[in-house]
Amino acid sequence: MHRKPTLEKISPEFGSSVFVKKSTSASADSKAFWHFHPEIELVFIDKGSGKRHIGNHLSYFNNSQLLFLGSNLPHNGFKDRLTQQGSEVLVQFNPDFLGAYFFDVPEMASINILFERAKNGILFKPKTKKRVGKKIQKLNELKGFDRILLLIKILHLLAEAEDYEILNAEGFVFETEKQDSSKIDIIYKYVNTHFKQHITLDEIAEAVSMTVPAFCRYFKKSTGKTFTKLVNEYRVVHATKLLSESEMSIADVAFECGFNNFSHFNKLFKEMTGKSASKYRKGLTNLYAT
């Protein structure tokens, strides 16, 4: 593939530093595209067949596969790869999601080496695939601390595995699509500055010199979410900060964060945090009191 890869923006769910998604043949997104991202990617497909295009490597797989892709390694999203009974679990996280130096300690040396090895793409063979696959599927069922603990265990098992193949043995050098990368940066910076106000699609599309339809397609393709959802996430995150650091009423917090409808704020806040704003604040009060 000769064209330059596009930067994909990975957005974990609210309150999480690790993105985990399980797909089946019914829910899988068939709109694959040539892309890269700074996040490390772990892919486990239990049943299915399809094409691998990772860096310079191109091959086909049948039945199942376990892949580990390092930071900024271009790849094409898999499509038409699942059987009716098959599923795929996708896990993505920043190399320093546990802190800048967590994996530099002696106990994590093998995982640090794994991360370096993964920059060329790793395909694990049946023994490790069988041993680790179910644990990766379990990640989709866990949240918070339990998910992080299991992920570290999985990384340790992959680091100790000996049955694997490096997909780009000579390494892979590529040029990013700078224009697309800068567009994403402009969008996020704009939202960070203006999320308290109403941001129209015309306004944000103009900021990156695109038409509204082209912007909507580009943003959804690059981030996996709508622009409205991104703005609402910024607002809810800011609301959690105000609820913990100020004595403002919840209604005032809602309006301060850019919501002009209090019931809409309550609905979105609960969807993203799992609690109403009042329960969220009460939980913080109880935490500080203990």
Side-chain angles (χ1 to χ4, degrees):
M1 188 170 290
H2 298 293
R3 66 183 179 84
K4 297 175 183 177
T6 299
L7 172 69
E8 181 183 25
K9 193 76 173 181
I10 308 300
S11 299
E13 64 187 24
F14 184 87
S16 177
S17 56
V18 179
F19 178 88
V20 180
K21 180 181 179 182
K22 183 175 183 179
S23 301
T24 62
S25 55
S27 64
D29 183 2
S30 62
K31 296 179 181 178
F33 65 102
W34 185 233
H35 67 283
F36 73 101
H37 40 73
E39 292 81 3
I40 291 172
E41 180 168 310
L42 179 62
V43 183
F44 175 64
I45 297 175
D46 63 351
K47 291 180 183 177
S49 60
K51 182 171 68 175
R52 303 185 192 101
H53 189 171
I54 300 162
N56 287 323
H57 175 89
L58 184 62
S59 63
Y60 291 85
F61 67 92
N62 191 21
N63 188 23
S64 63
Q65 69 168 350
L66 172 56
L67 291 166
F68 196 58
L69 311 180
S71 298
N72 298 318
L73 177 62
H75 54 284
N76 206 47
F78 307 108
K79 59 180 180 179
D80 302 329
R81 76 280 193 191
L82 300 177
T83 64
Q84 287 186 345
Q85 294 78 33
S87 68
E88 173 193 85
V89 176
L90 176 68
V91 184
Q92 296 166 320
F93 55 91
N94 278 303
D96 61 352
F97 79 108
L98 289 173
Y101 304 107
F102 183 86
F103 290 107
D104 289 338
V105 300
E107 292 84 355
M108 298 294 164
S110 61
I111 295 178
N112 217 350
I113 294 171
L114 173 72
F115 287 175
E116 284 299 312
R117 191 186 301 145
K119 289 180 179 178
N120 292 320
I122 306 173
L123 173 66
F124 289 93
K125 302 298 178 66
K127 181 181 176 182
T128 296
K129 188 167 57 177
K130 183 177 180 181
R131 186 182 183 193
V132 179
K134 289 185 178 179
K135 290 181 172 60
I136 295 173
Q137 290 178 321
K138 185 75 174 177
L139 283 174
N140 187 58
E141 303 168 16
L142 300 176
K143 300 289 183 183
F145 186 69
D146 290 334
R147 175 181 281 181
I148 297 299
L149 282 180
L150 180 56
L151 177 57
I152 293 173
K153 176 66 175 177
I154 289 168
L155 292 175
H156 175 70
L157 291 173
L158 295 179
E160 297 297 317
E162 298 180 353
D163 58 326
Y164 63 84
E165 172 189 350
I166 301 296
L167 300 180
N168 291 276
E170 302 302 320
F172 185 80
V173 179
F174 75 104
E175 294 181 64
T176 66
E177 192 65 75
K178 293 181 180 178
Q179 182 181 4
D180 281 347
S181 302
S182 64
K183 282 179 181 177
I184 283 289
D185 288 340
I186 290 169
I187 293 165
Y188 273 71
K189 286 176 182 176
Y190 194 94
V191 173
N192 189 52
T193 304
H194 300 283
F195 70 88
K196 295 180 185 179
Q197 298 110 44
H198 177 59
I199 306 174
T200 67
L201 287 174
D202 287 313
E203 165 183 359
I204 190 63
E206 184 179 352
V208 287
S209 303
M210 300 176 78
T211 64
V212 169
F215 169 80
C216 291
R217 288 193 299 271
Y218 164 76
F219 191 79
K220 184 69 183 291
K221 178 180 172 183
S222 298
T223 68
K225 65 180 71 174
T226 65
F227 179 70
T228 299
K229 184 174 181 181
L230 174 73
V231 174
N232 285 333
E233 285 177 347
Y234 266 81
R235 289 172 174 170
V236 169
V237 168
H238 189 60
T240 62
K241 184 175 185 291
L242 292 179
L243 288 170
S244 63
E245 297 179 358
S246 77
E247 296 181 0
M248 295 171 63
S249 70
I250 293 175
D252 286 342
V253 166
F255 290 111
E256 173 66 19
C257 294
F259 291 99
N260 55 16
N261 184 302
F262 186 59
S263 61
H264 183 54
F265 162 75
N266 276 327
K267 180 183 176 184
L268 286 175
F269 192 94
K270 188 169 184 179
E271 282 180 4
M272 293 186 190
T273 68
K275 300 177 182 178
S276 66
S278 58
K279 285 188 177 180
Y280 184 89
R281 172 171 269 176
K282 185 177 180 181
L284 289 172
T285 302
N286 292 339
L287 178 64
Y288 295 146
T290 57

